[in-house]
Amino acid sequence: MAEPQTTTPPAALGLPAPSSPAETISGEQICAMRERSADPLADLTTLYDLTDRLSSAPDLAAALTGVLADSAALVGARRGMLLLTHPFTTLGLGLDRADLGALETVPTAQVLRPSVGEPTGDRFQEVAVQLGIAASYAQPLADLGSVVWFYDTPAQPSEREQRLAGLYCASAARILAKEVDRDRLRRTADALRRGLLPNALPRIPGMRIAARCVPAGLDGAGGCDWYDAITLPEGALALSVGSVTGGGADSAAAMGRLRAALRAYAVLEGEDPVAVLGDLELLLKSTEAARSATALYAYVEPGPRRLSLAGAGQCPPLLVTSFGASFVETSLSAPLGMLSCWEAPGVELRADRGDLLLLYTDGLARRCGSSLHSGQARLRATAAEAPRDVRHDPERFCDYLLESCLGTSRPDPGGDDIVLMAARFE
C-alpha cells in the first residue's frame, strides 16, 4: 500500500502467484454458497465447514489462500485482496500481478473504508476505474489485517452475507493468529539451524564437495540434522553428518553444540574416527543427558585417497565408483547416548580417482522408499545409475539423487530432515 512499509511478496511466504480470473471461485460455487446461507441453520453449518477446512490447512500460505477464496464465495465476489499486517503481505484473488501492484499503491484507509458502495478517494477511484471495480466491501481479521472484496457492478452483500462474512473472518482471525505464530517459530528455528551449518565448504586440491540440507516441517520433526566439512593439518579433510533427537530451536542449539565439539575433536585426534565419536559420546552424556544422537565421521586424505570412517547409529555411506555403488558398513553400533559404554569398529579403505563418497542421514533414505531399508536400496541403485557426467560434478550429483528419488531437486519439508554430502576424488 502507499504507507512506507516493506511488502513481503506472496512467493516469500510460499504463496502461489495471484490468481487469474480463470482460477477464481466458479459461479456455481458462489450461488450454492449464497443459497445455502438463506437458512439460519445452514449458516452455522457453512461456518463450521469453512472453519474446519481452514483449521486443517497445512501452513500459513494455504490458510491465507483459503480465507480469501472462501470469504469471497460468502459475499458473492469474484475478486478480492487479503492484507496481512505483520509480516506485511498482500494476496490477490482474481487479480494478476499488475492489478495487485496497482492496488498496493492505494492508501490502506481508502481500500478498507467501512462503507459499502462506490469506491471513493482519488487514488482508489483512479485504480478502480482502471480495473473495472464498481464497488468494494471489507472486513477486518482482528489485528492481523483485513480482507476486501471487489465487484464488477454497483452491488453490495446482503445483510445476511455481511453477517456471515463477519463471523467467518472473526473465526478465521483466531486460526490465522496461530498459523502466524507457528510460521514465525518455524522461520526462527530454520534461521538458527541454517546459521549453525557451514557457510561454505572447503576447497582443497584433489577433492570437490557439495551438500544439501532440507529442514523438516515444524510439526513432526524427528530430529535436527547437520553436515560439516573442515580442513585438518597436513591437508587432510574431516567430513561428518549426524542427527540430534527432537525438534525446534532447542534441538537446533544442541545440534550446533555437538557439531562444534566434533570439530574440536577432529582437530585434536581426527585421524582416529572411533576416538572422535567416543569423545563426542562422553560430551553428550555430560551436557545433553536427555538426548541421543547419531553421527558418521570420515577422515579423508585426498592425496593417497585414503579414508578412515566410523559411525554411531547412522546410515552407512555409499562409495560410488565406475563399477557401481556399494555401502561402506559403518552402522554396526548404537546411537550416541543410548548405551552405558559406546564402542564401534572403524573402517579403512582406499578410493580411486573419480570415486564419490556419499554421506547422508536417515531422512533421505526414508523419503526414498516405503521403509528405511527399501529407501537405502533405491538410493544405492540411483547412485549407481547416475550418468558419468553427473558423477563428475558433486553439485549435479546431489541434485540428481534428489530429483530421481524424490521427484524434485527442491523437495518440500517432510517429517524428517534431509541431509546429504558428496565428496569426489579428483
Side-chain angles (χ1 to χ4, degrees), residues 369-389:
S370 58
S371 65
L372 179 62
H373 178 74
S374 63
Q376 287 178 306
R378 183 181 179 191
L379 182 62
R380 184 189 65 79
T382 301
E385 296 166 359
R388 183 176 179 181
D389 60 325

Side-chain angles (χ1 to χ4, degrees), residues 47 130 175 306 355 376 417:
L47 286 173
Q130 175 187 338
I175 298 173
R306 286 198 298 262
D355 289 354
Q376 287 178 306
D417 293 346

Side-chain angles (χ1 to χ4, degrees), residues 1-91:
M1 311 306 293
E3 281 83 344
Q5 304 181 70
T6 301
T7 300
T8 302
L13 284 176
L15 296 171
S19 303
S20 65
E23 296 172 326
T24 57
I25 302 298
S26 68
E28 292 79 6
Q29 288 176 301
I30 292 175
C31 290
M33 188 73 74
R34 298 176 78 181
E35 288 175 1
R36 185 180 182 183
S37 67
D39 177 16
L41 181 60
D43 286 353
L44 296 177
T45 304
T46 297
L47 286 173
Y48 176 83
D49 290 344
L50 293 181
T51 53
D52 183 61
R53 180 165 64 182
L54 182 61
S55 298
S56 62
D59 51 35
L60 178 61
L64 293 175
T65 302
V67 167
L68 182 54
D70 290 343
S71 62
L74 288 176
V75 297
R78 296 182 179 274
R79 291 186 290 175
M81 181 170 64
L82 186 149
L83 300 95
L84 194 65
T85 303
H86 194 73
F88 193 80
T89 307
T90 56
L91 177 67

Side-chain angles (χ1 to χ4, degrees), residues 212 225-227 240-242 294-296 314-319 327-328 357-366 368 372 375-377 379-380 401 417-422:
R212 297 289 184 272
D225 295 3
W226 84 80
Y227 67 86
S240 67
V241 297
T294 61
L296 177 69
Q314 190 60 259
C315 289
L318 273 170
L319 185 64
F327 290 114
V328 180
L357 180 68
L358 178 69
L359 282 65
Y360 58 97
T361 55
D362 291 6
L364 176 61
R366 294 185 188 280
C368 284
L372 179 62
Q376 287 178 306
L379 182 62
R380 184 189 65 79
L401 291 180
D417 293 346
I418 294 176
V419 162
L420 65 158
M421 182 165 58

Side-chain angles (χ1 to χ4, degrees), residues 237-410:
L237 185 68
L239 305 176
S240 67
V241 297
S243 177
V244 177
T245 55
D250 289 344
S251 290
M255 176 268 284
R257 291 191 291 269
L258 283 186
R259 174 177 161 268
L262 192 148
R263 280 190 157 202
Y265 297 143
V267 171
L268 293 174
E269 50 190 0
E271 69 281 359
D272 186 349
V274 174
V276 169
L277 292 185
D279 288 345
L280 190 65
E281 202 254 355
L282 291 176
L283 178 71
L284 182 69
K285 284 186 174 180
S286 300
T287 62
E288 309 281 350
R291 298 185 187 276
S292 62
T294 61
L296 177 69
Y297 174 81
Y299 178 80
V300 182
E301 298 174 89
R305 297 188 293 277
R306 286 198 298 262
L307 298 96
S308 300
L309 307 96
Q314 190 60 259
C315 289
L318 273 170
L319 185 64
V320 185
T321 71
S322 57
F323 302 102
S326 58
F327 290 114
V328 180
E329 190 51 69
T330 59
S331 59
L332 301 177
S333 63
L336 303 175
M338 295 290 287
L339 301 178
S340 59
C341 182
W342 179 88
E343 57 183 49
V347 179
E348 296 185 358
L349 67 149
R350 181 165 181 169
D352 293 326
R353 190 182 306 274
D355 289 354
L356 269 165
L357 180 68
L358 178 69
L359 282 65
Y360 58 97
T361 55
D362 291 6
L364 176 61
R366 294 185 188 280
R367 294 277 291 274
C368 284
S370 58
S371 65
L372 179 62
H373 178 74
S374 63
Q376 287 178 306
R378 183 181 179 191
L379 182 62
R380 184 189 65 79
T382 301
E385 296 166 359
R388 183 176 179 181
D389 60 325
V390 170
R391 287 187 281 111
H392 282 187
D393 185 349
E395 296 283 352
R396 293 183 60 191
F397 184 71
C398 289
D399 288 339
Y400 172 81
L401 291 180
L402 293 174
E403 180 75 35
S404 300
C405 291
L406 307 181
T408 175
S409 61
R410 299 180 180 274

Side-chain angles (χ1 to χ4, degrees), residues 94-185:
L95 302 168
D96 60 25
R97 292 185 183 276
D99 295 342
L100 192 60
L103 286 165
E104 288 176 340
T105 67
V106 179
T108 306
Q110 293 184 21
V111 179
L112 302 179
R113 70 195 189 287
S115 60
V116 178
E118 294 292 333
T120 59
D122 293 340
R123 180 56 186 162
F124 193 14
Q125 181 68 43
E126 178 184 338
V127 173
V129 171
Q130 175 187 338
L131 302 182
I133 297 173
S136 64
Y137 177 64
Q139 280 282 356
L141 292 169
D143 58 350
L144 296 177
S146 301
V147 186
V148 57
W149 305 279
F150 305 118
Y151 298 90
D152 301 335
T153 60
Q156 70 176 55
S158 66
E159 291 184 7
R160 184 184 297 274
E161 289 171 337
Q162 293 181 35
R163 185 179 70 255
L164 196 59
L167 291 172
Y168 174 68
C169 287
S171 298
R174 292 190 290 270
I175 298 173
L176 288 179
K178 295 179 181 179
E179 289 296 333
V180 168
D181 289 341
R182 280 164 36 88
D183 186 73
R184 187 179 297 114
L185 176 60

